[in-house]
Amino acid sequence: MSNELKLKEVFKNIFQIEISSVNDETSVDTVEKWDSLKHLNLVLALEEAFNITFTEEESIEIMSYPLVKAVLSDHGVAF
């Protein structure tokens, strides 16, 4: 499974949305179920899926799909 697909699967599972709707427009502003608890679940699921640990600052800044990809790239995850 590609990292892109793995990332989309995490979004699908956490926010209970269709994988086809996960794109560069996906953010806290466009996903109705994206609240503080789901955000924490997203952080934990990403850390587990990609075997990384986010800093507190990174955990706070990942408020959209493109930002998540950027932070994961900073951790060496290739897209």
Side-chain angles (χ1 to χ4, degrees):
M1 175 184 304
S2 72
N3 285 331
E4 183 92 25
L5 184 56
K6 187 189 300 187
L7 178 56
K8 288 183 178 194
E9 282 283 333
V10 170
F11 271 78
K12 177 188 85 121
N13 293 334
I14 296 298
F15 300 117
Q16 297 150 359
I17 57 178
E18 294 297 319
I19 201 165
S20 60
S21 69
V22 179
N23 57 45
D24 285 347
E25 303 301 313
T26 305
S27 73
V28 68
D29 297 324
T30 62
V31 178
E32 187 176 323
K33 294 182 179 184
W34 195 326
D35 59 18
S36 56
L37 181 58
K38 293 286 186 186
H39 186 80
L40 178 59
N41 289 340
L42 175 65
V43 169
L44 295 172
L46 291 168
E47 288 181 331
E48 184 176 325
F50 292 97
N51 196 30
I52 59 169
T53 302
F54 292 122
T55 65
E56 184 176 340
E57 184 179 286
E58 288 170 333
S59 296
I60 293 168
E61 75 180 35
I62 55 171
M63 301 299 277
S64 69
Y65 183 76
L67 288 173
V68 170
K69 282 179 69 175
V71 171
L72 287 173
S73 293
D74 290 345
H75 282 269
V77 178
F79 290 99

